[in-house]
Amino acid sequence: MEKQIITAKNNRTFVFRELQADDAQILGDFFVNLSAQTRSRFGPHLLTQEHASLLCSEVGNTNITRFIVENESEIAGYFILDFNLFEHEKKRYHSYGTTLDCNIDPVFAPCIADKYQNSGIASQVMLKIIEFSSNQGLRSLVLMGGTQQSNHLARSFYKKFGFEEYGSFTTEMVNIDMKLNLPGQR
Ligand SMILES: CC(C)(COP(=O)(O)OP(=O)(O)OC[C@H]1O[C@@H](n2cnc3c(N)ncnc32)[C@H](O)[C@@H]1OP(=O)(O)O)[C@@H](O)C(=O)NCCC(=O)NCCS
């Protein structure tokens, strides 16, 4: 995907692009600066400098696409589109009567740095990711691990883009499985 410019609510502009091998330092800074509150909502993998280095060293060699939103000095947002088979998701969706195919129903996870949350960045990115995903012939985007029932901002954010709630499951808390059926797909 080509680099794209996105504009936040305060008219500040950012670059939206795929993660690159030489992004380890800024990605690590982004991870380690996430607050405990954000970490409690977003935990797809370790959020350390070392893990950022590992992820960057793997760029191009996995079936996971990672995107970032950056300004001149830092990463403001990080988005994962993962085409691996997620047995837990597959099993839960099966219980809702839906069969997932990891080639066309990847799992998706977004995270915005604390100081940039609620400034319209992810809303702009979502439009780009939906367009990208539709152009790739994907069928749906499945929320990785669902979203916590108490995460009202995220739930309303996803609904705004057409994600639907399929069911719920309980870990230490109640989580809602949400999926976006992409426009024009089966
Ligand atoms: C969820 C998240 C990705 C959304 O990204 P964002 O850039 O903050 O989202 P935006 O600013 O584009 O949009 C947020 C929307 O939620 C709305 N909102 C804010 N607080 C809200 C609340 N308490 N209840 C409901 N809606 C709320 C805003 O009004 C805005 O909608 P609008 O643009 O139509 O007015 C981001 O906040 C985040 O990373 N949070 C922490 C980690 C997380 O929860 N990740 C998702 C795990 S499933």
Side-chain angles (χ1 to χ4, degrees):
M1 193 189 70
E2 294 290 306
K3 281 185 181 180
Q4 305 196 42
I5 302 294
I6 61 156
T7 307
K9 279 180 184 166
N10 64 1
N11 281 332
R12 190 160 175 195
T13 55
F14 295 81
V15 172
F16 173 61
R17 63 171 173 83
E18 287 186 38
L19 185 74
Q20 295 169 0
D22 60 358
D23 288 325
Q25 185 62 52
I26 52 171
L27 185 63
D29 291 344
F30 172 83
F31 287 164
V32 300
N33 287 322
L34 292 174
S35 68
Q37 163 83 351
T38 293
R39 286 162 183 268
S40 74
R41 305 291 201 195
F42 178 78
H45 50 60
L46 291 174
L47 297 167
T48 61
Q49 181 67 61
E50 294 71 30
H51 202 72
S53 299
L54 175 70
L55 297 181
C56 289
S57 72
E58 292 175 347
V59 165
N61 298 320
T62 66
N63 48 354
I64 306 173
T65 307
R66 300 178 199 276
F67 301 94
I68 58 168
V69 171
E70 64 169 354
N71 61 21
E72 318 72 46
S73 55
E74 60 187 351
I75 292 182
Y78 167 64
F79 300 80
I80 306 171
L81 207 50
D82 190 335
F83 294 83
N84 286 299
L85 183 62
F86 277 73
E87 282 301 340
H88 291 300
E89 266 76 7
K90 201 174 172 190
K91 214 164 153 185
R92 290 200 307 273
Y93 275 86
H94 185 71
S95 77
Y96 313 140
T98 300
T99 304
L100 296 183
D101 173 346
C102 63
N103 296 307
I104 50 174
D105 304 307
V107 295
F108 171 68
C111 186
I112 299 292
D114 288 78
K115 69 177 175 188
Y116 293 111
Q117 285 173 15
N118 218 355
S119 47
I121 293 177
S123 293
Q124 294 295 310
V125 167
M126 233 23 251
L127 297 174
K128 308 285 184 199
I129 289 189
I130 290 172
E131 186 187 4
F132 171 84
S133 302
S134 297
N135 289 344
Q136 298 286 313
L138 304 183
R139 181 170 62 180
S140 75
L141 302 178
V142 177
L143 271 197
M144 184 188 287
T147 187
Q148 295 169 13
Q149 189 178 42
S150 61
N151 195 351
H152 297 291
L153 188 156
R155 285 172 68 192
S156 92
F157 169 81
Y158 293 126
K159 280 186 189 156
K160 184 166 84 168
F161 290 97
F163 278 79
E164 292 167 37
E165 298 191 347
Y166 277 70
S168 66
F169 65 102
T170 304
T171 51
E172 311 87 67
M173 70 276 294
V174 179
N175 306 280
I176 314 284
D177 273 317
M178 298 183 80
K179 182 163 92 82
L180 171 65
N181 297 311
L182 289 161
Q185 309 300 321
R186 288 160 290 144

